[in-house]
Amino acid sequence: MEKVIIPKVLAQFSQGLTEKQRPYISINATPLECNLDKDPLELQQSKFLGKPFVPEGMEYPKDKGGNPMVLVAQINFSELPHLDGFPTSGILQLYFSTTEWWDMPGTEKIVYITEENLNKSQSNACPTLDIKSYEELPIWKIHKLDFKKALDTGSSEDCQFSFDFGGKDYWDFEETLTEEEKESFNEFFTSEGHKIGGYGFFTQGDPRDYSADQATDIQLLQLDTDDEIMFGDSGVGHLFISPENLANGELEKAYFYWDCC
């Protein structure tokens, strides 16, 4: 994959910024005009909202009160372009409680269905959720997902992106630029959008920056604001995972974080 071209305003830092570029999977999420209880997508297909694949023998996720949870995101890794270090098969699922989903952690459930369970039948234990169950969720329509490999160039808030701009940090260097140069600068350092891997976009700050144990954790999934998705006030949702758990295929050990303006 060809590296992203460095803009003129950053030409003096070309080598260092090229080395900082990081591959990721960009997610194009297309909202579907269908009822929330009438998912037209295949059970094992990647999606936001919709009906999850629940193999026979798997207990359907429930919240602390014993109530069925709602599928927020389902990623079938066999549909993705290859991304080093990430699975090539299996299904990752993120579930939210139908009430007080924002009270993280504890109101979400992360499931990883391994390849050997994908040949099983759909469980008969899947509940039929009332449409009212979706009213408080940050995603309002079922989305079909398409994937494309791309390169991330950096992020002002991602704790894993640290760069010396000639003795200045990100913000101090930006202040030395003209308005035209700032526009080019900010267009280059964008990490927004739905994605797997890559740098994270935050409206407040990177939670990994506050814990040495989480400093090297990898962004497994980013859910950004768009026309049919919003976490709080133009917020962003993330799944992070330790390198060890990712390498061992223990994706259910990921953790969820979100922030908003």
Side-chain angles (χ1 to χ4, degrees):
M1 180 180 296
E2 294 184 3
K3 298 295 184 179
V4 178
I5 297 175
I6 308 297
K8 183 178 179 181
V9 66
L10 294 168
Q12 61 183 308
F13 310 115
S14 179
Q15 180 176 346
L17 290 175
T18 298
E19 292 173 353
K20 284 284 188 178
Q21 292 181 21
R22 180 181 289 186
Y24 74 103
I25 304 296
S26 174
I27 303 176
N28 180 39
T30 304
L32 304 180
E33 297 301 328
C34 61
N35 293 334
L36 291 172
D37 57 350
K38 303 293 183 182
D39 183 2
L41 303 176
E42 298 293 329
L43 283 172
Q44 295 190 6
Q45 193 170 347
S46 298
K47 61 186 75 174
F48 295 158
L49 289 189
K51 189 172 184 178
F53 173 63
V54 181
E56 196 67 50
M58 171 183 152
E59 182 178 354
Y60 189 89
K62 296 180 180 178
D63 64 19
K64 292 179 179 178
N67 302 305
M69 303 177 82
V70 172
L71 177 77
V72 173
Q74 176 169 283
I75 303 295
N76 187 330
F77 285 99
S78 68
E79 299 174 1
L80 275 60
H82 176 72
L83 187 63
D84 285 347
F86 283 72
T88 57
S89 64
I91 293 177
L92 173 70
Q93 295 174 334
L94 173 64
Y95 292 84
F96 280 179
S97 168
T98 58
T99 59
E100 300 183 343
W101 65 265
W102 52 87
D103 191 18
M104 306 286 181
T107 57
E108 81 283 4
K109 174 75 173 179
I110 299 162
V111 173
Y112 182 55
I113 303 169
T114 56
E115 184 175 9
E116 56 264 31
N117 289 311
L118 297 183
N119 292 324
K120 293 184 178 180
S121 301
Q122 174 77 345
S123 172
N124 293 324
C126 289
T128 300
L129 297 177
D130 190 288
I131 291 180
K132 291 183 179 179
S133 300
Y134 297 85
E135 289 180 351
E136 301 297 326
L137 296 179
I139 303 180
W140 309 311
K141 288 186 178 180
I142 297 172
H143 289 66
K144 177 182 179 293
L145 308 184
D146 295 289
F147 305 98
K148 181 180 180 180
K149 196 169 185 180
L151 283 173
D152 251 349
T153 52
S155 168
S156 61
E157 296 297 334
D158 191 307
C159 70
Q160 296 176 2
F161 179 77
S162 178
F163 195 82
D164 181 359
F165 294 89
K168 294 181 172 64
D169 66 14
Y170 183 98
W171 299 108
D172 287 341
F173 179 75
E174 185 192 33
E175 287 302 311
T176 69
L177 306 178
T178 66
E179 290 304 314
E180 183 177 352
E181 288 173 334
K182 284 182 180 179
E183 183 176 351
S184 178
F185 178 82
N186 291 321
E187 285 179 356
F188 183 76
F189 293 111
T190 177
S191 54
E192 301 177 7
H194 309 305
K195 63 172 67 174
I196 293 167
Y199 291 107
F201 171 67
F202 306 91
T203 60
Q204 298 290 335
D206 189 338
R208 299 169 296 176
D209 200 22
Y210 309 124
S211 171
D213 292 339
Q214 297 177 336
T216 61
D217 287 355
I218 295 166
Q219 179 167 259
L220 187 56
L221 177 65
Q222 175 169 290
L223 302 172
D224 204 351
T225 287
D226 63 24
D227 290 342
E228 305 295 340
I229 301 174
M230 186 179 294
F231 288 83
D233 183 7
S234 300
V236 188
H238 306 266
L239 279 178
F240 295 112
I241 190 169
S242 72
E244 294 78 17
N245 289 335
L246 180 61
N248 293 333
E250 297 177 309
L251 275 66
E252 70 280 357
K253 293 184 179 179
Y255 57 95
F256 185 79
Y257 171 82
W258 74 280
D259 65 0
C260 67
C261 297

PDB file of all heavy atoms in Angstrom, residues 84-115:
ATOM      1  N   ASP A  84      -2.611  -6.887   9.484  1.00  0.00           N
ATOM      2  CA  ASP A  84      -1.658  -7.615  10.327  1.00  0.00           C
ATOM      3  C   ASP A  84      -2.055  -7.565  11.798  1.00  0.00           C
ATOM      4  O   ASP A  84      -2.379  -6.499  12.331  1.00  0.00           O
ATOM      5  CB  ASP A  84      -0.250  -7.016  10.174  1.00  0.00           C
ATOM      6  CG  ASP A  84       0.405  -7.396   8.859  1.00  0.00           C
ATOM      7  OD1 ASP A  84      -0.109  -8.303   8.183  1.00  0.00           O
ATOM      8  OD2 ASP A  84       1.431  -6.779   8.504  1.00  0.00           O
ATOM      9  N   GLY A  85      -2.023  -8.735  12.430  1.00  0.00           N
ATOM     10  CA  GLY A  85      -2.304  -8.828  13.850  1.00  0.00           C
ATOM     11  C   GLY A  85      -3.760  -9.038  14.188  1.00  0.00           C
ATOM     12  O   GLY A  85      -4.088  -9.378  15.332  1.00  0.00           O
ATOM     13  N   PHE A  86      -4.656  -8.851  13.216  1.00  0.00           N
ATOM     14  CA  PHE A  86      -6.086  -8.994  13.456  1.00  0.00           C
ATOM     15  C   PHE A  86      -6.575 -10.346  12.926  1.00  0.00           C
ATOM     16  O   PHE A  86      -5.977 -10.919  12.021  1.00  0.00           O
ATOM     17  CB  PHE A  86      -6.857  -7.860  12.777  1.00  0.00           C
ATOM     18  CG  PHE A  86      -6.775  -6.553  13.519  1.00  0.00           C
ATOM     19  CD1 PHE A  86      -5.599  -5.808  13.531  1.00  0.00           C
ATOM     20  CD2 PHE A  86      -7.867  -6.064  14.224  1.00  0.00           C
ATOM     21  CE1 PHE A  86      -5.510  -4.616  14.225  1.00  0.00           C
ATOM     22  CE2 PHE A  86      -7.798  -4.870  14.914  1.00  0.00           C
ATOM     23  CZ  PHE A  86      -6.615  -4.144  14.923  1.00  0.00           C
ATOM     24  N   PRO A  87      -7.669 -10.859  13.490  1.00  0.00           N
ATOM     25  CA  PRO A  87      -8.188 -12.156  13.028  1.00  0.00           C
ATOM     26  C   PRO A  87      -8.590 -12.115  11.553  1.00  0.00           C
ATOM     27  O   PRO A  87      -8.916 -11.059  11.003  1.00  0.00           O
ATOM     28  CB  PRO A  87      -9.421 -12.370  13.921  1.00  0.00           C
ATOM     29  CG  PRO A  87      -9.235 -11.471  15.092  1.00  0.00           C
ATOM     30  CD  PRO A  87      -8.477 -10.295  14.593  1.00  0.00           C
ATOM     31  N   THR A  88      -8.572 -13.279  10.943  1.00  0.00           N
ATOM     32  CA  THR A  88      -9.061 -13.412   9.567  1.00  0.00           C
ATOM     33  C   THR A  88     -10.395 -14.145   9.528  1.00  0.00           C
ATOM     34  O   THR A  88     -10.968 -14.329   8.455  1.00  0.00           O
ATOM     35  CB  THR A  88      -8.030 -14.159   8.698  1.00  0.00           C
ATOM     36  OG1 THR A  88      -7.770 -15.444   9.294  1.00  0.00           O
ATOM     37  CG2 THR A  88      -6.733 -13.377   8.610  1.00  0.00           C
ATOM     38  N   SER A  89     -10.868 -14.565  10.690  1.00  0.00           N
ATOM     39  CA  SER A  89     -12.159 -15.248  10.770  1.00  0.00           C
ATOM     40  C   SER A  89     -12.751 -14.985  12.155  1.00  0.00           C
ATOM     41  O   SER A  89     -12.120 -14.400  13.027  1.00  0.00           O
ATOM     42  CB  SER A  89     -12.001 -16.752  10.535  1.00  0.00           C
ATOM     43  OG  SER A  89     -11.207 -17.338  11.563  1.00  0.00           O
ATOM     44  N   GLY A  90     -13.967 -15.456  12.344  1.00  0.00           N
ATOM     45  CA  GLY A  90     -14.659 -15.223  13.600  1.00  0.00           C
ATOM     46  C   GLY A  90     -15.502 -13.963  13.548  1.00  0.00           C
ATOM     47  O   GLY A  90     -15.355 -13.127  12.651  1.00  0.00           O
ATOM     48  N   ILE A  91     -16.399 -13.838  14.517  1.00  0.00           N
ATOM     49  CA  ILE A  91     -17.325 -12.705  14.561  1.00  0.00           C
ATOM     50  C   ILE A  91     -17.218 -12.011  15.918  1.00  0.00           C
ATOM     51  O   ILE A  91     -17.357 -12.637  16.968  1.00  0.00           O
ATOM     52  CB  ILE A  91     -18.772 -13.159  14.326  1.00  0.00           C
ATOM     53  CG1 ILE A  91     -18.939 -13.663  12.885  1.00  0.00           C
ATOM     54  CG2 ILE A  91     -19.763 -12.039  14.607  1.00  0.00           C
ATOM     55  CD1 ILE A  91     -20.330 -14.205  12.579  1.00  0.00           C
ATOM     56  N   LEU A  92     -16.966 -10.709  15.866  1.00  0.00           N
ATOM     57  CA  LEU A  92     -16.942  -9.865  17.050  1.00  0.00           C
ATOM     58  C   LEU A  92     -18.298  -9.180  17.201  1.00  0.00           C
ATOM     59  O   LEU A  92     -18.836  -8.648  16.233  1.00  0.00           O
ATOM     60  CB  LEU A  92     -15.848  -8.802  16.910  1.00  0.00           C
ATOM     61  CG  LEU A  92     -15.786  -7.728  17.999  1.00  0.00           C
ATOM     62  CD1 LEU A  92     -15.300  -8.322  19.315  1.00  0.00           C
ATOM     63  CD2 LEU A  92     -14.862  -6.586  17.560  1.00  0.00           C
ATOM     64  N   GLN A  93     -18.844  -9.211  18.410  1.00  0.00           N
ATOM     65  CA  GLN A  93     -20.138  -8.578  18.658  1.00  0.00           C
ATOM     66  C   GLN A  93     -20.054  -7.666  19.875  1.00  0.00           C
ATOM     67  O   GLN A  93     -19.411  -7.998  20.877  1.00  0.00           O
ATOM     68  CB  GLN A  93     -21.220  -9.634  18.910  1.00  0.00           C
ATOM     69  CG  GLN A  93     -21.499 -10.526  17.696  1.00  0.00           C
ATOM     70  CD  GLN A  93     -22.471 -11.641  18.014  1.00  0.00           C
ATOM     71  OE1 GLN A  93     -22.588 -12.070  19.164  1.00  0.00           O
ATOM     72  NE2 GLN A  93     -23.168 -12.129  17.004  1.00  0.00           N
ATOM     73  N   LEU A  94     -20.739  -6.528  19.773  1.00  0.00           N
ATOM     74  CA  LEU A  94     -20.860  -5.587  20.880  1.00  0.00           C
ATOM     75  C   LEU A  94     -22.346  -5.407  21.183  1.00  0.00           C
ATOM     76  O   LEU A  94     -23.125  -5.055  20.290  1.00  0.00           O
ATOM     77  CB  LEU A  94     -20.235  -4.238  20.504  1.00  0.00           C
ATOM     78  CG  LEU A  94     -20.433  -3.087  21.498  1.00  0.00           C
ATOM     79  CD1 LEU A  94     -19.757  -3.391  22.837  1.00  0.00           C
ATOM     80  CD2 LEU A  94     -19.892  -1.782  20.913  1.00  0.00           C
ATOM     81  N   TYR A  95     -22.724  -5.675  22.430  1.00  0.00           N
ATOM     82  CA  TYR A  95     -24.111  -5.543  22.872  1.00  0.00           C
ATOM     83  C   TYR A  95     -24.204  -4.436  23.921  1.00  0.00           C
ATOM     84  O   TYR A  95     -23.295  -4.252  24.736  1.00  0.00           O
ATOM     85  CB  TYR A  95     -24.611  -6.846  23.501  1.00  0.00           C
ATOM     86  CG  TYR A  95     -24.763  -8.013  22.563  1.00  0.00           C
ATOM     87  CD1 TYR A  95     -23.675  -8.824  22.248  1.00  0.00           C
ATOM     88  CD2 TYR A  95     -26.006  -8.341  22.014  1.00  0.00           C
ATOM     89  CE1 TYR A  95     -23.807  -9.922  21.406  1.00  0.00           C
ATOM     90  CE2 TYR A  95     -26.153  -9.441  21.174  1.00  0.00           C
ATOM     91  CZ  TYR A  95     -25.054 -10.217  20.869  1.00  0.00           C
ATOM     92  OH  TYR A  95     -25.193 -11.305  20.039  1.00  0.00           O
ATOM     93  N   PHE A  96     -25.340  -3.735  23.906  1.00  0.00           N
ATOM     94  CA  PHE A  96     -25.624  -2.727  24.919  1.00  0.00           C
ATOM     95  C   PHE A  96     -26.889  -3.094  25.683  1.00  0.00           C
ATOM     96  O   PHE A  96     -27.808  -3.716  25.133  1.00  0.00           O
ATOM     97  CB  PHE A  96     -25.855  -1.358  24.287  1.00  0.00           C
ATOM     98  CG  PHE A  96     -24.606  -0.608  23.916  1.00  0.00           C
ATOM     99  CD1 PHE A  96     -24.697   0.637  23.313  1.00  0.00           C
ATOM    100  CD2 PHE A  96     -23.342  -1.124  24.164  1.00  0.00           C
ATOM    101  CE1 PHE A  96     -23.568   1.344  22.968  1.00  0.00           C
ATOM    102  CE2 PHE A  96     -22.201  -0.426  23.817  1.00  0.00           C
ATOM    103  CZ  PHE A  96     -22.311   0.817  23.214  1.00  0.00           C
ATOM    104  N   SER A  97     -26.924  -2.657  26.922  1.00  0.00           N
ATOM    105  CA  SER A  97     -28.174  -2.709  27.674  1.00  0.00           C
ATOM    106  C   SER A  97     -29.175  -1.781  27.007  1.00  0.00           C
ATOM    107  O   SER A  97     -28.802  -0.741  26.449  1.00  0.00           O
ATOM    108  CB  SER A  97     -27.922  -2.263  29.120  1.00  0.00           C
ATOM    109  OG  SER A  97     -29.144  -2.040  29.795  1.00  0.00           O
ATOM    110  N   THR A  98     -30.452  -2.138  27.053  1.00  0.00           N
ATOM    111  CA  THR A  98     -31.472  -1.302  26.409  1.00  0.00           C
ATOM    112  C   THR A  98     -31.788  -0.055  27.224  1.00  0.00           C
ATOM    113  O   THR A  98     -32.471   0.846  26.740  1.00  0.00           O
ATOM    114  CB  THR A  98     -32.768  -2.097  26.192  1.00  0.00           C
ATOM    115  OG1 THR A  98     -33.235  -2.574  27.466  1.00  0.00           O
ATOM    116  CG2 THR A  98     -32.529  -3.268  25.268  1.00  0.00           C
ATOM    117  N   THR A  99     -31.307   0.004  28.461  1.00  0.00           N
ATOM    118  CA  THR A  99     -31.481   1.193  29.298  1.00  0.00           C
ATOM    119  C   THR A  99     -30.131   1.543  29.921  1.00  0.00           C
ATOM    120  O   THR A  99     -29.349   0.656  30.279  1.00  0.00           O
ATOM    121  CB  THR A  99     -32.500   0.958  30.436  1.00  0.00           C
ATOM    122  OG1 THR A  99     -32.052  -0.133  31.247  1.00  0.00           O
ATOM    123  CG2 THR A  99     -33.863   0.637  29.857  1.00  0.00           C
ATOM    124  N   GLU A 100     -29.853   2.806  30.013  1.00  0.00           N
ATOM    125  CA  GLU A 100     -28.625   3.297  30.648  1.00  0.00           C
ATOM    126  C   GLU A 100     -27.366   2.718  30.022  1.00  0.00           C
ATOM    127  O   GLU A 100     -26.398   2.404  30.708  1.00  0.00           O
ATOM    128  CB  GLU A 100     -28.660   3.024  32.160  1.00  0.00           C
ATOM    129  CG  GLU A 100     -29.820   3.702  32.863  1.00  0.00           C
ATOM    130  CD  GLU A 100     -29.814   3.482  34.368  1.00  0.00           C
ATOM    131  OE1 GLU A 100     -29.111   2.553  34.826  1.00  0.00           O
ATOM    132  OE2 GLU A 100     -30.504   4.228  35.052  1.00  0.00           O
ATOM    133  N   TRP A 101     -27.365   2.579  28.678  1.00  0.00           N
ATOM    134  CA  TRP A 101     -26.182   2.062  28.001  1.00  0.00           C
ATOM    135  C   TRP A 101     -24.965   2.945  28.252  1.00  0.00           C
ATOM    136  O   TRP A 101     -23.822   2.480  28.224  1.00  0.00           O
ATOM    137  CB  TRP A 101     -26.435   1.968  26.493  1.00  0.00           C
ATOM    138  CG  TRP A 101     -26.646   3.308  25.829  1.00  0.00           C
ATOM    139  CD1 TRP A 101     -27.834   3.906  25.565  1.00  0.00           C
ATOM    140  CD2 TRP A 101     -25.645   4.217  25.389  1.00  0.00           C
ATOM    141  NE1 TRP A 101     -27.644   5.132  24.986  1.00  0.00           N
ATOM    142  CE2 TRP A 101     -26.295   5.353  24.865  1.00  0.00           C
ATOM    143  CE3 TRP A 101     -24.240   4.199  25.385  1.00  0.00           C
ATOM    144  CZ2 TRP A 101     -25.617   6.452  24.343  1.00  0.00           C
ATOM    145  CZ3 TRP A 101     -23.557   5.295  24.859  1.00  0.00           C
ATOM    146  CH2 TRP A 101     -24.245   6.401  24.354  1.00  0.00           C
ATOM    147  N   TRP A 102     -25.200   4.228  28.498  1.00  0.00           N
ATOM    148  CA  TRP A 102     -24.117   5.190  28.666  1.00  0.00           C
ATOM    149  C   TRP A 102     -23.335   4.991  29.965  1.00  0.00           C
ATOM    150  O   TRP A 102     -22.269   5.574  30.136  1.00  0.00           O
ATOM    151  CB  TRP A 102     -24.690   6.603  28.636  1.00  0.00           C
ATOM    152  CG  TRP A 102     -25.830   6.794  29.604  1.00  0.00           C
ATOM    153  CD1 TRP A 102     -25.739   7.142  30.929  1.00  0.00           C
ATOM    154  CD2 TRP A 102     -27.217   6.610  29.337  1.00  0.00           C
ATOM    155  NE1 TRP A 102     -26.982   7.190  31.501  1.00  0.00           N
ATOM    156  CE2 TRP A 102     -27.922   6.866  30.539  1.00  0.00           C
ATOM    157  CE3 TRP A 102     -27.954   6.263  28.206  1.00  0.00           C
ATOM    158  CZ2 TRP A 102     -29.305   6.772  30.643  1.00  0.00           C
ATOM    159  CZ3 TRP A 102     -29.334   6.167  28.314  1.00  0.00           C
ATOM    160  CH2 TRP A 102     -29.997   6.419  29.508  1.00  0.00           C
ATOM    161  N   ASP A 103     -23.856   4.187  30.877  1.00  0.00           N
ATOM    162  CA  ASP A 103     -23.238   4.008  32.185  1.00  0.00           C
ATOM    163  C   ASP A 103     -22.170   2.920  32.111  1.00  0.00           C
ATOM    164  O   ASP A 103     -22.280   1.859  32.713  1.00  0.00           O
ATOM    165  CB  ASP A 103     -24.300   3.667  33.230  1.00  0.00           C
ATOM    166  CG  ASP A 103     -23.763   3.725  34.651  1.00  0.00           C
ATOM    167  OD1 ASP A 103     -22.706   4.352  34.855  1.00  0.00           O
ATOM    168  OD2 ASP A 103     -24.402   3.146  35.545  1.00  0.00           O
ATOM    169  N   MET A 104     -21.130   3.193  31.322  1.00  0.00           N
ATOM    170  CA  MET A 104     -20.055   2.228  31.130  1.00  0.00           C
ATOM    171  C   MET A 104     -19.006   2.370  32.239  1.00  0.00           C
ATOM    172  O   MET A 104     -18.778   3.478  32.727  1.00  0.00           O
ATOM    173  CB  MET A 104     -19.378   2.448  29.779  1.00  0.00           C
ATOM    174  CG  MET A 104     -20.326   2.454  28.589  1.00  0.00           C
ATOM    175  SD  MET A 104     -20.920   0.808  28.186  1.00  0.00           S
ATOM    176  CE  MET A 104     -21.964   1.173  26.773  1.00  0.00           C
ATOM    177  N   PRO A 105     -18.294   1.270  32.606  1.00  0.00           N
ATOM    178  CA  PRO A 105     -18.499  -0.098  32.137  1.00  0.00           C
ATOM    179  C   PRO A 105     -19.607  -0.804  32.901  1.00  0.00           C
ATOM    180  O   PRO A 105     -20.060  -0.307  33.927  1.00  0.00           O
ATOM    181  CB  PRO A 105     -17.147  -0.750  32.422  1.00  0.00           C
ATOM    182  CG  PRO A 105     -16.670  -0.036  33.650  1.00  0.00           C
ATOM    183  CD  PRO A 105     -17.143   1.392  33.515  1.00  0.00           C
ATOM    184  N   GLY A 106     -20.018  -1.931  32.387  1.00  0.00           N
ATOM    185  CA  GLY A 106     -21.004  -2.752  33.067  1.00  0.00           C
ATOM    186  C   GLY A 106     -22.325  -2.864  32.344  1.00  0.00           C
ATOM    187  O   GLY A 106     -23.131  -3.740  32.651  1.00  0.00           O
ATOM    188  N   THR A 107     -22.569  -1.970  31.380  1.00  0.00           N
ATOM    189  CA  THR A 107     -23.833  -2.039  30.643  1.00  0.00           C
ATOM    190  C   THR A 107     -23.609  -2.497  29.206  1.00  0.00           C
ATOM    191  O   THR A 107     -24.475  -2.340  28.364  1.00  0.00           O
ATOM    192  CB  THR A 107     -24.543  -0.668  30.642  1.00  0.00           C
ATOM    193  OG1 THR A 107     -23.666   0.324  30.072  1.00  0.00           O
ATOM    194  CG2 THR A 107     -24.912  -0.266  32.051  1.00  0.00           C
ATOM    195  N   GLU A 108     -22.414  -3.054  28.938  1.00  0.00           N
ATOM    196  CA  GLU A 108     -22.116  -3.573  27.608  1.00  0.00           C
ATOM    197  C   GLU A 108     -21.632  -5.018  27.724  1.00  0.00           C
ATOM    198  O   GLU A 108     -21.259  -5.477  28.802  1.00  0.00           O
ATOM    199  CB  GLU A 108     -21.059  -2.719  26.897  1.00  0.00           C
ATOM    200  CG  GLU A 108     -19.623  -2.993  27.289  1.00  0.00           C
ATOM    201  CD  GLU A 108     -19.223  -2.389  28.624  1.00  0.00           C
ATOM    202  OE1 GLU A 108     -20.075  -1.804  29.325  1.00  0.00           O
ATOM    203  OE2 GLU A 108     -18.037  -2.519  28.976  1.00  0.00           O
ATOM    204  N   LYS A 109     -21.654  -5.726  26.622  1.00  0.00           N
ATOM    205  CA  LYS A 109     -21.184  -7.109  26.578  1.00  0.00           C
ATOM    206  C   LYS A 109     -20.440  -7.300  25.267  1.00  0.00           C
ATOM    207  O   LYS A 109     -20.939  -6.932  24.195  1.00  0.00           O
ATOM    208  CB  LYS A 109     -22.362  -8.084  26.658  1.00  0.00           C
ATOM    209  CG  LYS A 109     -22.007  -9.546  26.474  1.00  0.00           C
ATOM    210  CD  LYS A 109     -21.337 -10.144  27.694  1.00  0.00           C
ATOM    211  CE  LYS A 109     -21.152 -11.657  27.551  1.00  0.00           C
ATOM    212  NZ  LYS A 109     -20.487 -12.252  28.718  1.00  0.00           N
ATOM    213  N   ILE A 110     -19.244  -7.863  25.348  1.00  0.00           N
ATOM    214  CA  ILE A 110     -18.432  -8.115  24.160  1.00  0.00           C
ATOM    215  C   ILE A 110     -18.317  -9.623  23.968  1.00  0.00           C
ATOM    216  O   ILE A 110     -17.961 -10.353  24.898  1.00  0.00           O
ATOM    217  CB  ILE A 110     -17.045  -7.482  24.304  1.00  0.00           C
ATOM    218  CG1 ILE A 110     -17.176  -5.959  24.470  1.00  0.00           C
ATOM    219  CG2 ILE A 110     -16.164  -7.813  23.101  1.00  0.00           C
ATOM    220  CD1 ILE A 110     -15.957  -5.294  25.036  1.00  0.00           C
ATOM    221  N   VAL A 111     -18.632 -10.076  22.776  1.00  0.00           N
ATOM    222  CA  VAL A 111     -18.645 -11.510  22.461  1.00  0.00           C
ATOM    223  C   VAL A 111     -17.743 -11.742  21.250  1.00  0.00           C
ATOM    224  O   VAL A 111     -17.743 -10.946  20.304  1.00  0.00           O
ATOM    225  CB  VAL A 111     -20.077 -11.987  22.138  1.00  0.00           C
ATOM    226  CG1 VAL A 111     -20.068 -13.435  21.655  1.00  0.00           C
ATOM    227  CG2 VAL A 111     -20.978 -11.834  23.352  1.00  0.00           C
ATOM    228  N   TYR A 112     -16.982 -12.827  21.277  1.00  0.00           N
ATOM    229  CA  TYR A 112     -16.215 -13.242  20.098  1.00  0.00           C
ATOM    230  C   TYR A 112     -16.570 -14.680  19.776  1.00  0.00           C
ATOM    231  O   TYR A 112     -16.332 -15.587  20.569  1.00  0.00           O
ATOM    232  CB  TYR A 112     -14.713 -13.100  20.334  1.00  0.00           C
ATOM    233  CG  TYR A 112     -13.893 -13.475  19.119  1.00  0.00           C
ATOM    234  CD1 TYR A 112     -14.119 -12.876  17.872  1.00  0.00           C
ATOM    235  CD2 TYR A 112     -12.902 -14.447  19.206  1.00  0.00           C
ATOM    236  CE1 TYR A 112     -13.366 -13.223  16.762  1.00  0.00           C
ATOM    237  CE2 TYR A 112     -12.136 -14.797  18.098  1.00  0.00           C
ATOM    238  CZ  TYR A 112     -12.375 -14.182  16.874  1.00  0.00           C
ATOM    239  OH  TYR A 112     -11.637 -14.531  15.764  1.00  0.00           O
ATOM    240  N   ILE A 113     -17.155 -14.885  18.612  1.00  0.00           N
ATOM    241  CA  ILE A 113     -17.554 -16.213  18.151  1.00  0.00           C
ATOM    242  C   ILE A 113     -16.452 -16.745  17.242  1.00  0.00           C
ATOM    243  O   ILE A 113     -16.203 -16.184  16.161  1.00  0.00           O
ATOM    244  CB  ILE A 113     -18.899 -16.157  17.403  1.00  0.00           C
ATOM    245  CG1 ILE A 113     -19.985 -15.553  18.310  1.00  0.00           C
ATOM    246  CG2 ILE A 113     -19.311 -17.539  16.919  1.00  0.00           C
ATOM    247  CD1 ILE A 113     -21.268 -15.225  17.580  1.00  0.00           C
ATOM    248  N   THR A 114     -15.763 -17.777  17.678  1.00  0.00           N
ATOM    249  CA  THR A 114     -14.629 -18.303  16.928  1.00  0.00           C
ATOM    250  C   THR A 114     -15.086 -19.098  15.707  1.00  0.00           C
ATOM    251  O   THR A 114     -16.241 -19.494  15.589  1.00  0.00           O
ATOM    252  CB  THR A 114     -13.756 -19.183  17.828  1.00  0.00           C
ATOM    253  OG1 THR A 114     -14.575 -20.218  18.390  1.00  0.00           O
ATOM    254  CG2 THR A 114     -13.142 -18.364  18.953  1.00  0.00           C
ATOM    255  N   GLU A 115     -14.144 -19.340  14.817  1.00  0.00           N
ATOM    256  CA  GLU A 115     -14.449 -19.979  13.537  1.00  0.00           C
ATOM    257  C   GLU A 115     -15.137 -21.330  13.704  1.00  0.00           C
ATOM    258  O   GLU A 115     -16.052 -21.673  12.943  1.00  0.00           O
ATOM    259  CB  GLU A 115     -13.164 -20.148  12.725  1.00  0.00           C
ATOM    260  CG  GLU A 115     -13.386 -20.708  11.336  1.00  0.00           C
ATOM    261  CD  GLU A 115     -12.111 -20.752  10.516  1.00  0.00           C
ATOM    262  OE1 GLU A 115     -11.027 -20.506  11.079  1.00  0.00           O
ATOM    263  OE2 GLU A 115     -12.204 -21.047   9.297  1.00  0.00           O
TER     264      GLU A 115
END
